[in-house]
Amino acid sequence: MKEKIKEILSYNQQRNFGQIVERDVWAPLDSGKIISFIGPRRAGKTHLLYLLINKVREAGIPRERVVFINFEDERLLSDSFAFDLILEALREMIPSVDFDLCYFFFDEIQNIPDWEKFVRRLYEDHSKNIYLTGSNASFLSTEIATSLRGRSLAVEVLPLSFREFLRFQGKSVDAFAYQEKALLLNSFREYFSIGGFPELVNMEEHLRIKVLQEYFNVMIHRDLVERFEISQANLLKYFIKKMFLGVGKPLSINKVYNDFKSNKYTVSKNTLYDFLGFAKDAYVIRSLTKFDYSEMKRENSDKKAYACDWGLLSAIDYAVSKDLGRLFENLVVLEFMKLLKPVFFYKQVNECDLIVETSPNELLPVQITYDMSDADTRKRELKGLSEAAKSLEVSRGLILTMDQEEEIQKDNLQVKVIPAFKYFTMSTAQLDFLF
């Protein structure tokens, strides 16, 4: 086994990872903490490891001090494997190696039992530069924090934002002048159609749906059924599809439970609550809480569920694939999450899709509508926005659309209607001068 590990280490030390496209994910080097990348399957966590390895090398760290191992390598999946063999192999390859000065990058480390003990010991005895990924629910942020006892920082990696999508296409936001609106809108429509999973960006269209369906099935069976030892796999799959069909609507487990009963499924409400928790832990579902100034009330309030990527919605249900409004709302909600902005939804008499904390103590009510040409849609969106703004005691509101743009003054409320592609490619300075 040690000779196999030497072979793997030697190959990866000499390996050229090529030109890796930058992500906007915060990925610190030399933080003094164990960095664990978490998020949905196929979102690009391994890609980030490659990017960091390149940066470490560019900073002048010798290749023999950069240790990369992918634990999906079948040569390591053996009863004779032991983590200590990694250090022994390194020592035999490079007798003068100082483990304290090494950078360790471990991909899919959850595949090996008791990885936490090794990483903790490696951190305590040697290197403070350790980077980990895992792509299923056995690599939960809560479990990592417990296992590594405060030594780690979890970095969330979600599918591509629109800015990142452009970068993966070899385009730059700066290359688009805003008078070239049609070009940028065309790229955004591609993003809207494809979704944010990196592998799909340059994939032929006829393959994308099949790949997304495979993603969904793997998430269900490996990240949920296997991880949480769920015996009712068909019920779980039906439940997740119900969540996807209800995107943008307040989530009611009672209604889902009654729907199960009417379809002759035998399941308890507690099981459905468990399913929801598992799906959130595994990043299959993202959720919003109802806005309240009290954090406790927020946690106990109604929730809304969204898919981790709107591409999955269109891939698993034909009806949803034609519901542009629902897909668009899912996209926009995730885009704010990728900006690391705290987001909630507002609902009293009327409803406002999002309350976004744009900066500390700065709240912005946001409505999301694919098309607001219809008079009833326009009236509804403005009514909900106006009520939310009044409740928050703010004088501005935002409506994000696919391609419409205007300014509206409603009583004391200043409303900006902006295409989503424009809003999410604005610089910080441009956003500051938006209102």
Side-chain angles (χ1 to χ4, degrees), residues 171-221:
K171 302 172 184 176
S172 168
V173 172
D174 298 333
F176 291 95
Y178 278 119
Q179 59 266 33
E180 297 174 313
K181 173 183 173 181
L183 295 176
L184 197 55
L185 175 59
N186 184 60
S187 290
F188 188 74
R189 288 191 186 280
E190 286 185 65
Y191 181 57
F192 183 49
S193 172
I194 294 170
F197 285 108
E199 183 183 19
L200 304 183
V201 173
N202 296 307
M203 185 177 287
E204 292 183 20
E205 185 175 356
H206 71 278
L207 293 177
R208 288 177 190 150
I209 295 296
K210 291 182 179 178
V211 171
L212 283 166
Q213 289 170 343
E214 182 62 21
Y215 283 2
F216 180 73
N217 288 328
V218 173
M219 287 176 179
I220 294 294
H221 293 288

Side-chain angles (χ1 to χ4, degrees), residues 22-36:
E22 285 275 356
R23 295 287 304 266
D24 294 332
V25 179
W26 175 75
L29 286 170
D30 302 308
S31 67
K33 292 282 190 179
I34 301 166
I35 303 299
S36 55

Side-chain angles (χ1 to χ4, degrees), residues 161-407:
S161 69
F162 180 48
R163 278 180 170 273
E164 292 171 327
F165 178 84
L166 289 172
R167 216 173 288 144
F168 270 64
Q169 285 191 323
K171 302 172 184 176
S172 168
V173 172
D174 298 333
F176 291 95
Y178 278 119
Q179 59 266 33
E180 297 174 313
K181 173 183 173 181
L183 295 176
L184 197 55
L185 175 59
N186 184 60
S187 290
F188 188 74
R189 288 191 186 280
E190 286 185 65
Y191 181 57
F192 183 49
S193 172
I194 294 170
F197 285 108
E199 183 183 19
L200 304 183
V201 173
N202 296 307
M203 185 177 287
E204 292 183 20
E205 185 175 356
H206 71 278
L207 293 177
R208 288 177 190 150
I209 295 296
K210 291 182 179 178
V211 171
L212 283 166
Q213 289 170 343
E214 182 62 21
Y215 283 2
F216 180 73
N217 288 328
V218 173
M219 287 176 179
I220 294 294
H221 293 288
R222 291 193 61 187
D223 296 346
L224 294 173
V225 172
E226 291 181 13
R227 167 63 175 91
F228 297 106
E229 299 179 349
I230 297 169
S231 60
Q232 300 166 298
N234 288 336
L235 290 184
L236 172 69
K237 195 169 186 177
Y238 183 70
F239 174 80
I240 299 297
K241 287 188 174 183
K242 289 293 292 183
M243 295 298 98
F244 283 5
L245 288 170
V247 157
K249 299 176 182 178
L251 173 60
S252 170
I253 291 296
N254 282 333
K255 287 183 180 179
V256 177
Y257 172 73
N258 290 331
D259 180 72
F260 270 71
K261 282 180 62 179
S262 66
N263 284 284
K264 310 301 181 184
Y265 289 116
T266 303
V267 64
S268 70
K269 287 184 184 179
N270 285 341
T271 296
L272 296 181
Y273 278 111
D274 286 342
F275 285 175
L276 178 60
F278 297 156
K280 289 164 64 176
D281 285 343
Y283 281 87
V284 178
I285 282 175
R286 311 294 286 147
S287 68
L288 291 184
T289 59
K290 183 179 174 181
F291 177 79
D292 195 284
Y293 288 105
S294 165
E295 186 172 346
M296 183 176 294
K297 288 183 179 180
R298 286 204 301 264
E299 289 306 311
N300 293 323
S301 71
D302 294 337
K303 306 288 189 294
K304 284 187 178 183
Y306 294 88
C308 67
D309 185 84
W310 59 96
L312 289 176
L313 290 181
S314 59
I316 66 154
D317 192 285
Y318 179 78
V320 176
S321 72
K322 300 303 178 185
D323 191 337
L324 300 181
R326 187 174 304 178
L327 295 171
F328 186 66
E329 181 174 340
N330 206 133
L331 181 158
V332 171
V333 169
L334 291 181
E335 201 75 358
F336 277 113
M337 289 181 175
K338 292 166 190 174
L339 292 173
L340 302 181
K341 301 294 186 185
V343 286
F344 314 92
F345 72 93
Y346 172 91
K347 185 170 178 59
Q348 296 297 335
V349 176
N350 296 292
E351 186 172 335
C352 183
D353 294 318
L354 289 179
I355 303 297
V356 181
E357 189 175 320
T358 53
S359 60
N361 302 316
E362 286 284 336
L363 297 173
L364 178 67
V366 179
Q367 292 283 44
I368 306 165
T369 180
Y370 184 84
D371 183 350
M372 62 179 292
S373 302
D374 178 74
D376 289 338
T377 300
R378 184 184 183 89
K379 181 179 179 181
R380 182 182 66 249
E381 302 296 350
L382 287 172
K383 183 181 283 188
L385 196 67
S386 180
E387 182 182 308
K390 186 175 181 179
S391 175
L392 298 174
E393 298 181 346
V394 298
S395 59
R396 58 193 184 128
L398 180 68
I399 300 178
L400 293 179
T401 67
M402 176 54 81
D403 61 1
Q404 292 157 308
E405 187 168 7
E406 65 174 300
E407 293 188 23

Side-chain angles (χ1 to χ4, degrees), residues 4 74 138 369 372:
K4 291 179 181 178
E74 76 283 353
S138 63
T369 180
M372 62 179 292

